[in-house]
Structure formats: C-alpha cells, structure tokens
Amino acid sequence: MLTLLLQVLSDVTTFKNLKGEDKLANDVACELKALSIEGRINCLWFHVPNETVVQTKTDIARLKKKHAKGMISGAPDFVFLAPNTSVCIELKTDSGRSSPNQKLFAEWAENSGVAYYIARSVNEVKKYLKLENLLQ
C-alpha cells in the first residue's frame, strides 16, 4: 500500500514563492501527502484544478472546452472520498471571500448531504477531516 501511495503522490512537492491561496493549497497538499504516507488519512483525496487565467481568445476556447467536459465553476479546492462520506473543502486566505459560484456549489453539496467547509489554514483542514472521521 505504501508503495502505491508513494507512486500516486510523487508529484506533490513544495513550491517556493507561492502566495495566498496557492501557497495554502500547496501547504495542504504536502500535509495530506505526509498524512497519507503515515496511514493517518482514511480516504481518497484530490485537488480540483479549477483555476483558469483567461486573457486571450484561445484561453476562452480552452475554458469553454473544460466546462463542456464537466468543469464546474465554484467547485471546492479539495475533495475527500470515503465509503460512507464525502467532504468538500474550499480554501481561503484570511481576507478571502467565497464567489457567488462557490456559494452555489456549497449549497448544492449541503443539499446533497455532502459536508462542505471553508478552511483558512492547514490546521483547519485537519480539524474538519477529524470531525468527519477521515483523519486519525
């Protein structure tokens, strides 16, 4: 199992010079990787790469293609899946606020019985995972 985890999580590395939510997401991913390797996290997890810079007509075409393939604006930064529970966690800096699409997604998750949290630190992510019995 450990060998499989190391292969799957091999791309999760620390990047320098990140700021704001990008830095927080990287810090969370690195912590989740360590927890997974230690066997302390009881679920599958992944980051949802919804960030898209739109500056050109080509960027707009790429964004439309992503939406056509199922990208959902407002999806959370991290999703956690276990046999009897799913958890969505949106990351925000101390001054960050949810977009209208993020608020709609949160409502959709909650109406579907999926736990949805906003976390502003690695420790808050861990707190919510413990609350949902996904972290030992």
Side-chain angles (χ1 to χ4, degrees):
M1 178 71 162
L2 181 58
T3 303
L4 176 64
L5 279 173
L6 289 173
Q7 289 174 338
V8 171
L9 299 175
S10 64
D11 290 341
V12 178
T13 58
T14 301
F15 279 87
K16 297 187 186 306
N17 302 321
L18 293 175
K19 294 184 171 106
E21 284 185 28
D22 288 335
K23 180 177 182 342
L24 179 56
N26 184 241
D27 291 347
V28 167
C30 289
E31 181 68 14
L32 292 171
K33 178 181 179 179
L35 293 168
S36 297
I37 291 168
E38 292 169 8
R40 294 186 50 214
I41 193 162
N42 305 318
C43 64
L44 295 173
W45 61 269
F46 56 92
H47 176 265
V48 178
N50 257 7
E51 301 84 10
T52 304
V53 176
V54 179
Q55 296 177 333
T56 67
K57 288 182 181 180
T58 303
D59 294 338
I60 293 169
R62 283 189 188 124
L63 181 61
K64 286 181 179 181
K65 188 175 181 181
K66 286 180 180 183
H67 280 283
K69 293 190 298 182
M71 184 179 104
I72 298 172
S73 296
D77 291 304
F78 284 90
V79 174
F80 301 84
L81 304 171
N84 296 312
T85 190
S86 300
V87 177
C88 296
I89 298 182
E90 175 64 31
L91 301 177
K92 292 291 174 196
T93 61
D94 288 337
S95 60
R97 300 289 174 253
S98 296
S99 71
N101 283 337
Q102 289 170 332
K103 290 176 183 177
L104 286 172
F105 191 96
E107 185 178 338
W108 181 25
E110 290 167 2
N111 288 340
S112 299
V114 175
Y116 184 98
Y117 299 99
I118 296 174
R120 297 181 185 278
S121 68
V122 172
N123 285 335
E124 281 191 7
V125 170
K126 290 166 62 174
K127 176 180 82 173
Y128 297 136
L129 293 176
K130 286 178 184 175
L131 185 67
E132 297 293 333
N133 297 314
L134 296 177
L135 178 63
Q136 300 172 1

